[in-house]
Amino acid sequence: ATADARTGRDLHVGGVFTHALTAAFRAAKRFADGHGVSLLLVVPPSMRGLRAASTDEAFTLTGDRFYNPSWGYQDGKVRNARIRREFRPVAVLAGTFRLGETTDLEARAAVEAGRSEYSTLGWYDARTPMPDNYRYLPSYAGDAATEEAWRSRDPRYTQVDWDALHARNRMAGGEALYALEGRVERLCRLHLDALFATRFDERIVLRYGAAAHYRSSRNFKRMRDLLGADFLTDIDQFLIDDDTYGNRLQNDLRHPGRRIVAGDRFGYDYNLTQRHLGICVMAIWRRGRSELHAAAELSSLSVGRRGYFEKELFAGSGSYGRSKRIVFAPYTLKAAWHHALTPRHGITLAAVAAAAAPEADDIFLQTQYNNRTTDRPRTSILLGGEAAYRFRSPTVDICLTGFAMLSRRESRILHSYDDMSGAYSDIAIDDIERLGTGIEAAATVRYSRRWQSAFAFTAPPYRYAADPAVTLYDDRDNSVISTSRSRMTGCRTGAPQLTAYADVAWYPAGGWSLRMSMQYAGSRHVEPSAVRRTERLVATAGSEERREEMMQQQRLPDAVSVDASMAKTFAFGRSELRIMLSVRNLTNAGDIVYAGREQNRVRRYTAGDMTHYRPFDNLLTYAYPRTYYISVGWSF
C-alpha cells in the first residue's frame, strides 16, 4: 500500500498550483503449481492550476518570461481561470497460469472510470476577458496609456479582472455576460486481453492472443460559476465572431429557452464510444547467434457518437441520437533480426508497417455540435525501419542507430475563427505527411567502481514531406468555405532536430552520490500551422516581404541546461534515510523557450480598397530559471 501527496503553489508562475493525492494498493498471490494472481487499485484525485502560453509582446511589456494570462485578482485574492480537476481510479486484475509443460497464459482485466474537468472563462455577447488578446495589446490599441499600463504591470490590464467581470454581470440585469465554464469528460474504459506462449523447442516460441477494449467518453459543459449573474440562457455562442452571439439558436430544442444556473449542463452533451477487437501473433526463432522476431496484430475498431442535445442548428438526427458507426481495420506488422557477431558486438535490423485509426475527435467535423463525419475518415499509414550496432564490455557500452520513419494520410480537425470569411469554422486537415531520418548514439562509460558517465546524441530531422489539403466548413451549416493546399513541405516539426546529453556520476564511500548533467536541444522551431500556410492566405500577400512573413517558420534559440544533484543515505539497522538536494538550470539561463506554436488566425488590415493579412505572433512558453529541490525519504 502506498500514498503520495503533493501540494503547493508555483513561485515563478502566477496562479499555478498543485493539490494531488495518489493512493494505491496491490496484492499478489503465487501458488505452488505455477499459477499466480494479482490485484492493483489506484486512486489519484488531483487539482492543478495551469499556465497558458502567450506572445513575446506580452513577455516583453511585463518584463516577465513567466507571465501567465490565466489568473487575476478577485476580492484581493489570486484566482486562476484554468484549473484541471481529475478523479479517475484504476483497477487491474491479472493472472498467470500454466496450461501444460509447454504453454503459459497471461490474462488481464482492467477498468478505469472517473471524470476530468477543465475550467475556462466563457463570454456571451461580450468582448473576451483574456488580457493578452491582440486587441488589448499596445501593438493593436496604438495608444500610450495602454502601453504604460502594461509596462507598469497594472493587473487590471495584464491579468483577468474578476471584479470587473462581476460588475458587468450585475449591470446586465440578471443574464450572464461572463461565466466560468467546466468542460467535463466522464470516462469509462474496459480492457480484456489474454496472451498465450507456447514453446515448441529451445529454438521456437510462439506467442498469440486476443484483446477487447471498450471506451465510453461522456462530454458536456457544466456551469461552475455565474460570476454574480442569476442565469444564462442556453443558446449557441460565437457563431459570428468573438463579440457577437450570432443567430441565437437553441442549444437544445427539447428544452428551449432553458435558463442555466450553477451546476447545470449546457452548451453540448454527447458521448463517444469506441469498440476494439484484436488478435495478435508473434514468433521468435533462435539459431546460433541469431534471433528472429516476427509479429502481426489485426484489429477492428468502430467509433460512434450519441448526442443528448438536439441543436436547432442541426435539428433531428443531425445532432440528436446515434450517428452512423465508422469502422476501421488497424494493423501492425513488425520484424526484427538480432545477431551477435561476437560476445561483445551485435547488430539489429528492424522494420514496421502499421495502419492506425484517427482519434475520435478527428473523425467528426464538430463533436460538440453534430453527427456529421469528415468526408474521408481513414487510417493513417506508418512505415519505419532501423539498423543498430551494439558493443558491450566491462567498462563501456555503446549503441549506434540509424533510422527512417514515414507517416502518411494523417488527419486533424481544428476549430477556429476564419478571418477571411468572417465565420467560425471547422477545419479538416487531410493527407498530413511527415518524414524523419536520423542517427542516435548512446554510451555508458564506467571509469571505476565509483565513477561513471552517460552520453547520448540524436540528429533526427523531422519534417513535413507533403502539402496537406485544408478544407474549411462554416460552423453554422457545414457548408464549405474553402478548399486549398497548405504549403507545409519542408517545414520542421516542433521537436528538436538535434539533442545531446552528458553526465558524470561519483559514488564515494559513506552512502554519498553526486551527479552533474548537461542537456542540449538545437535546431528547434515553433510547431507550424497548416491553416496559416494555405494557398488562399498566401495569395493575399501583396509583396515578397509579406509572403515571406506568412511562410517563415520561427527558429527558436538553442537551449542548454546544466543540472546537479547530491544525495546522502543514512542506515539505521534495517531502515534507511535518504536526503537529496538537486538544482535544475544551474547556470540560471532565463531565455530558454520551452515550446512554441503558430496561431491559426491572421490579422486583417484594410488600406483603401485593398485588404491585407499578416500572421499573429507565435505563442511561447519559457523554461524555468534556476530551481532547487530537496527530497527526504525513509524506508523501513
Side-chain angles (χ1 to χ4, degrees):
T2 67
D4 173 85
R6 300 178 302 282
T7 186
R9 67 180 181 88
D10 196 299
L11 298 181
H12 295 295
V13 185
V16 174
F17 64 88
T18 296
H19 304 311
L21 171 70
T22 302
F25 171 80
R26 182 178 182 271
K29 171 67 175 177
R30 288 207 169 274
F31 301 94
D33 54 6
H35 302 330
V37 294
S38 65
L39 173 66
L40 172 66
L41 302 174
V42 182
V43 181
S46 66
M47 181 170 70
R48 294 182 294 137
L50 303 178
R51 156 193 194 185
S54 193
T55 63
D56 256 339
E57 181 180 4
F59 294 131
T60 301
L61 289 168
T62 59
D64 181 9
R65 296 189 185 276
F66 308 106
Y67 165 70
N68 180 15
S70 297
W71 69 274
Y73 289 106
Q74 180 176 330
D75 295 330
K77 297 180 180 180
V78 171
R79 183 178 186 183
N80 196 337
R82 299 181 64 202
I83 296 178
R84 183 178 295 279
R85 298 169 173 86
E86 289 188 321
F87 181 69
R88 290 163 54 165
V90 177
V92 181
L93 178 64
T96 57
F97 308 94
R98 296 294 303 273
L99 303 183
E101 292 296 325
T102 60
T103 301
D104 297 331
L105 167 64
E106 295 181 7
R108 182 176 60 169
V111 58
E112 179 184 10
R115 63 189 294 160
S116 60
E117 180 175 351
Y118 175 77
S119 69
T120 182
L121 276 170
W123 52 99
Y124 323 105
D125 205 10
R127 298 193 73 179
T128 171
M130 299 310 298
D132 63 338
N133 184 272
Y134 72 96
R135 288 173 293 186
Y136 302 153
L137 294 173
S139 61
Y140 183 89
D143 64 281
T146 299
E147 182 172 351
E148 176 59 28
W150 270 86
R151 292 193 181 278
S152 63
R153 300 289 300 272
D154 187 336
R156 294 173 300 175
Y157 287 80
T158 63
Q159 307 301 149
V160 177
D161 194 342
W162 292 96
D163 294 331
L165 301 185
H166 278 77
R168 292 170 193 166
N169 275 349
R170 286 194 296 268
M171 292 187 294
E175 179 90 11
L177 299 177
Y178 299 94
L180 189 67
E181 307 173 347
R183 300 177 182 270
V184 181
E185 179 190 23
R186 278 181 25 192
L187 177 70
C188 179
R189 182 160 51 191
L190 305 176
H191 178 105
L192 300 171
D193 65 51
L195 181 65
F196 298 85
T198 299
R199 299 170 296 280
F200 292 96
D201 54 36
E202 293 182 354
R203 296 183 303 167
I204 299 177
V205 177
L206 186 66
R207 301 179 185 273
Y208 50 96
H213 304 166
Y214 172 80
R215 177 189 172 107
S216 172
S217 174
R218 182 78 177 262
N219 300 267
F220 56 89
K221 194 155 59 173
R222 184 171 72 93
M223 180 59 68
R224 290 202 60 86
D225 189 347
L226 283 163
L227 304 182
D230 297 326
F231 64 91
L232 174 70
T233 304
D234 192 15
I235 58 177
D236 271 325
Q237 316 290 347
F238 310 127
L239 294 179
I240 290 185
D241 59 36
D242 290 342
D243 294 331
T244 313
Y245 262 137
N247 46 23
R248 304 178 68 87
L249 296 181
Q250 296 293 325
N251 258 329
D252 187 2
L253 279 176
R254 297 175 183 242
H255 301 90
R258 187 164 63 103
R259 291 189 170 187
I260 304 303
V261 297
D264 288 347
R265 299 185 186 187
F266 74 107
Y268 60 84
D269 187 0
Y270 66 95
N271 193 47
L272 290 174
T273 57
Q274 301 179 46
R275 298 181 177 91
H276 172 271
L277 294 173
I279 58 173
C280 65
V281 59
M282 180 175 71
I284 303 174
W285 177 72
R286 301 181 179 92
R287 182 175 181 180
R289 295 179 178 178
S290 295
E291 186 172 298
L292 179 64
H293 293 213
E297 181 178 347
L298 307 177
S299 306
S300 174
L301 174 68
S302 66
V303 181
R305 177 189 184 274
R306 179 177 181 179
Y308 294 95
F309 281 0
E310 183 182 353
K311 299 277 188 177
E312 187 175 0
L313 199 60
F314 303 99
S317 60
S319 57
Y320 187 79
R322 299 183 185 276
S323 71
K324 65 177 182 180
R325 297 202 68 84
I326 308 299
V327 180
F328 301 94
Y331 65 83
T332 302
L333 304 175
K334 294 181 180 180
W337 176 62
H338 310 279
H339 180 69
L341 300 170
T342 69
R344 292 188 175 185
H345 301 267
I347 59 173
T348 296
L349 300 177
V352 61
E359 296 293 330
D361 284 333
D362 293 322
I363 296 173
F364 296 88
L365 275 186
Q366 173 54 285
T367 51
Q368 296 178 0
Y369 270 59
N370 59 49
N371 287 328
R372 176 174 172 176
T373 64
T374 59
D375 294 333
R376 291 191 305 165
R378 57 180 180 169
T379 56
S380 60
I381 302 298
L382 173 67
L383 302 172
E386 71 173 33
Y389 162 77
R390 291 177 175 83
F391 171 78
R392 292 185 175 90
S393 74
T395 57
V396 178
D397 294 339
I398 298 175
C399 180
L400 302 175
T401 304
F403 67 89
M405 180 276 294
L406 174 66
S407 65
R408 303 180 60 245
R409 300 196 331 193
E410 292 186 25
S411 60
R412 296 288 185 271
I413 295 293
L414 305 176
H415 311 285
S416 177
Y417 183 74
D418 178 49
D419 295 276
M420 290 192 70
S421 64
Y424 198 82
S425 60
D426 305 317
I427 305 166
I429 307 175
D430 295 306
D431 297 324
I432 301 172
E433 189 168 314
R434 293 177 297 165
L435 175 65
T437 58
I439 59 173
E440 298 175 342
T444 300
V445 181
R446 293 172 287 274
Y447 307 108
S448 68
R449 187 170 62 89
R450 300 188 182 278
W451 286 89
Q452 72 176 38
S453 289
F455 305 92
F457 171 80
T458 65
Y462 294 115
R463 296 172 182 261
Y464 288 89
D467 292 342
V470 180
T471 304
L472 276 71
Y473 299 85
D474 194 315
D475 194 60
R476 291 170 289 192
D477 55 12
N478 288 159
S479 61
V480 176
I481 297 174
S482 73
T483 299
S484 62
R485 287 282 172 179
S486 178
R487 300 185 179 181
M488 294 282 288
T489 302
C491 287
R492 284 81 165 176
T493 68
Q497 309 294 298
L498 291 171
T499 65
Y501 173 87
D503 73 16
V504 57
W506 179 38
Y507 304 99
W512 289 93
S513 65
L514 297 94
R515 181 184 299 271
M516 180 167 286
S517 63
M518 182 278 292
Q519 301 86 34
Y520 165 80
S523 187
R524 302 189 305 148
H525 298 76
V526 297
E527 184 64 37
S529 164
V531 179
R532 199 182 87 180
R533 287 177 164 73
T534 52
E535 294 170 343
R536 68 191 285 258
L537 275 173
V538 175
T540 66
S543 64
E544 187 62 31
E545 180 183 2
R546 290 284 182 264
R547 177 188 176 89
E548 179 66 21
E549 184 181 34
M550 197 74 75
M551 295 295 295
Q552 182 182 14
Q553 185 180 10
Q554 179 185 355
R555 177 166 177 169
L556 301 175
D558 293 355
V560 178
S561 176
V562 178
D563 301 342
S565 65
M566 178 176 61
K568 167 68 172 173
T569 301
F570 302 90
F572 304 97
R574 298 177 63 184
S575 302
E576 284 188 350
L577 176 67
R578 181 176 174 82
I579 302 175
M580 183 174 70
L581 172 66
S582 59
V583 185
R584 296 184 185 175
N585 195 2
L586 186 65
T587 59
N588 201 31
D591 59 348
I592 299 177
V593 178
Y594 182 75
R597 62 179 176 85
E598 297 175 352
Q599 299 194 61
N600 295 321
R601 293 190 61 181
V602 292
R603 186 176 295 182
R604 179 172 179 161
Y605 295 89
T606 302
D609 58 349
M610 298 293 293
T611 300
H612 304 279
Y613 298 92
R614 298 183 64 182
F616 278 112
D617 292 342
N618 300 323
L619 295 176
L620 306 174
T621 55
Y622 282 84
Y624 277 48
R626 184 186 298 128
T627 309
Y628 300 90
Y629 298 83
I630 186 168
S631 172
V632 179
W634 182 30
S635 61
F636 56 92

